[in-house]
Amino acid sequence: MVDLFVGILLFVAIVIGWLLGKTERKKSVAVEAAGGVGKEYYDGLNLLLNEKQDEAVDLLLKTLDVNGDTFETHIVMGSLYRRRGEVDRSIRIHQDLLARSDLTKAQHAAVKLELARDYLNAGVLDRSERLLKEIAEEDNLNQVRALEYLLTIYEQEREWAPCIEVAEKLINKGKPLQVKMAHYHCELAEQNLKMGDYVQSRRELKKALQVDKYCVRASMVLAELETEANNPKEAVKALRRVLEQDPAFVPDTLPLLLVNYEKLGNMNDLSKYLFECLEKSPAISIVIELSNLVARLEGDQAGTYVLSEYLKKRPSVKGLDRLISLQMERAGGEEKENLAILQAFTQKLIKDKPIYRCTDCGFDGKTLHWKCPTCKTWGSVRPIQGVEGE
Ligand SMILES: [Zn+2]
């Protein structure tokens, strides 16, 4: 399939080159017209059709004179080599092109961009970065693409400050990168938090929320910071913001909510808040937390009632597992043994199931990644909902 695609692309390259070259050949003496270049094109095409692509590419490259007419053909061929993983060849083609003095300004920039992409593919990031910076500064048609590739490099290198700088330029050019940008600020905030610099970390989180007010991560990192700095009121405020930003993430805020409400000694307020959350996000983790809390405030029976009533409306493996645990505490003898068998089953189901899934590529797992490890999208991994999830 890939070979067929490469073959088609090569064919297109040949036709473009041949058509463009036609005008020039007409002007020149009819030396080559009868069969010179044209014949070699056809020889190349024959090799292609016979699936001898390596020989075809070499032959075609040899026959193409670099001039304005065949420029595009060279660019296409270079990119074909890169796609085939033969980056050293595409680098050679592009370096040869770049050394020429007869290229227009736009052509020169286009080759530079191709060469930068070659280096990026080859993992020679410093050279790629240097070329991309030059293109980005030159203000030409390729400026936006150069900035986008630069962003890829800085992300790979985890250099968040340059990421922010480049993303800002792209946003100014109309690219919708606000979500990414907020994550870059969060990355910096987490670095600062690790070093104990609360002031700088808070500053970055504020910027994250300014650029994307729905950035759940910014609220959660801020809550982490305020918990560490022993400001329970501020931590609760940050955690409660998640309900407005994206209710699906409320279950992830529960452990810190509990810690900070304990510090505040206001469990009634937490219980009220969790009831409010359930209206927007009927997640089983919230129900379980609420049922535990009600049990604590009003007794075991009231706690179990909250859980069983909810399960009637929305069946959930995690909820059933918790209900079995509660029943087991009160059961004895054969009944307890039977419940244990049932629980072994629910726990196996829970153990094997992922908790988060990427909405873009379907990657799933038990850890919350802010950037999908597979498709590299920021903010696309979300808690799984439904019977076997939340
Ligand atoms: Zn993904």
Side-chain angles (χ1 to χ4, degrees):
M1 197 57 199
V2 174
D3 279 354
L4 181 65
F5 178 66
V6 171
I8 292 168
L9 279 179
L10 265 175
F11 179 70
V12 173
I14 294 159
V15 173
I16 293 171
W18 188 76
L19 287 176
L20 291 173
K22 209 173 162 188
T23 333
E24 192 56 38
R25 282 195 302 278
K26 267 184 189 167
K27 280 184 221 157
S28 63
V29 203
V31 183
E32 294 167 346
V37 173
K39 184 180 173 299
E40 280 163 330
Y41 274 124
Y42 284 115
D43 285 347
L45 187 55
N46 266 330
L47 288 168
L48 263 185
L49 293 173
N50 290 321
E51 295 192 352
K52 293 179 178 169
Q53 288 176 23
D54 276 337
E55 291 167 50
V57 170
D58 286 339
L59 181 64
L60 290 164
L61 194 64
K62 220 187 298 171
T63 60
L64 288 172
D65 237 355
V66 184
N67 56 43
D69 296 330
T70 54
F71 174 80
E72 288 299 332
T73 318
H74 275 75
I75 292 287
V76 172
M77 293 188 87
S79 109
L80 279 175
Y81 274 129
R82 192 172 55 230
R83 276 165 192 265
R84 286 157 59 110
E86 297 170 55
V87 194
D88 48 341
R89 283 185 168 182
S90 60
I91 289 177
R92 206 188 73 211
I93 294 178
H94 294 133
Q95 276 175 339
D96 282 356
L97 276 177
L98 208 58
R100 299 186 66 95
S101 54
D102 53 350
L103 297 182
T104 65
K105 211 179 156 189
Q107 285 175 333
H108 194 79
V111 182
K112 251 192 196 174
L113 185 67
E114 290 304 311
L115 191 56
R117 292 179 64 187
D118 295 338
Y119 286 137
L120 186 61
N121 269 34
V124 193
L125 299 185
D126 53 340
R127 283 197 194 178
S128 182
E129 182 189 346
R130 203 173 56 230
L131 284 174
L132 291 168
K133 270 182 168 171
E134 280 174 26
I135 305 167
E137 278 161 21
E138 279 162 8
D139 189 27
N140 54 55
L141 282 174
N142 297 303
Q143 197 181 25
V144 168
R145 287 181 71 199
L147 287 169
E148 283 169 344
Y149 286 122
L150 261 182
L151 201 55
T152 314
I153 292 178
Y154 293 142
E155 268 195 28
Q156 265 183 44
E157 302 279 278
R158 302 179 60 81
E159 291 180 28
W160 307 116
C163 273
I164 291 171
E165 212 177 291
V166 173
E168 232 161 25
K169 285 182 188 160
L170 284 166
I171 288 173
N172 288 338
K173 290 193 172 291
K175 293 280 168 187
L177 297 182
Q178 285 78 357
V179 171
K180 266 189 184 190
M181 178 80 137
H183 280 285
Y184 298 153
H185 283 296
C186 287
E187 291 284 349
L188 282 180
E190 283 183 353
Q191 280 180 1
N192 287 306
L193 180 58
K194 261 186 205 154
M195 293 185 293
D197 188 345
Y198 296 154
V199 176
Q200 192 53 35
S201 185
R202 279 196 195 97
R203 205 171 287 157
E204 292 297 341
L205 293 170
K206 198 175 164 192
K207 283 182 193 162
L209 288 166
Q210 272 167 356
V211 69
D212 175 18
K213 66 173 177 171
Y214 295 106
C215 184
V216 167
R217 183 184 183 182
S219 302
M220 285 173 59
V221 177
L222 185 60
E224 209 181 303
L225 182 156
E226 299 300 358
T227 308
E228 210 180 285
N230 207 16
N231 297 324
K233 225 173 170 177
E234 289 304 313
V236 164
K237 195 175 147 196
L239 291 166
R240 288 182 67 146
R241 191 164 47 215
V242 173
L243 180 63
E244 311 303 323
Q245 291 174 315
D246 192 340
F249 283 91
V250 170
D252 292 275
T253 64
L254 294 174
L256 279 189
L257 265 179
L258 208 63
V259 168
N260 285 288
Y261 266 112
E262 289 278 10
K263 280 187 198 166
L264 291 171
N266 193 352
M267 299 318 261
N268 277 322
D269 196 34
L270 175 60
S271 153
K272 248 188 271 168
Y273 172 66
L274 292 181
F275 272 116
E276 192 189 322
C277 288
L278 278 182
E279 283 169 26
K280 289 190 183 173
S281 168
I284 191 61
S285 302
I286 304 175
V287 181
I288 292 175
E289 205 55 67
L290 187 61
S291 130
N292 292 344
L293 199 59
V294 171
R296 199 169 132 185
L297 296 171
E298 298 166 34
D300 284 349
Q301 220 166 355
T304 311
Y305 179 77
V306 169
L307 183 59
S308 57
E309 279 305 295
Y310 174 86
L311 283 176
K312 280 182 205 161
K313 283 184 251 160
R314 275 177 68 103
S316 143
V317 177
K318 231 169 132 183
L320 182 63
D321 182 73
R322 178 69 191 141
L323 191 63
I324 295 170
S325 291
L326 290 173
Q327 295 298 327
M328 275 172 81
E329 282 170 20
R330 279 180 242 150
E334 198 182 339
E335 194 190 354
K336 195 167 186 169
E337 276 171 31
N338 287 339
L339 285 169
I341 295 169
L342 202 57
Q343 193 169 47
F345 182 67
T346 53
Q347 286 193 342
K348 183 162 178 9
L349 276 180
I350 296 169
K351 193 174 154 258
D352 294 343
K353 290 293 165 197
I355 302 173
Y356 302 97
R357 180 167 294 135
C358 172
T359 49
D360 273 28
C361 74
F363 160 86
D364 57 23
K366 287 190 181 288
T367 316
L368 172 57
H369 294 276
W370 295 114
K371 182 185 183 183
C372 174
T374 306
C375 69
K376 314 287 178 208
T377 309
W378 289 94
S380 60
V381 177
R382 301 175 54 75
I384 298 172
Q385 314 272 320
V387 181
E388 292 173 273
E390 279 296 344

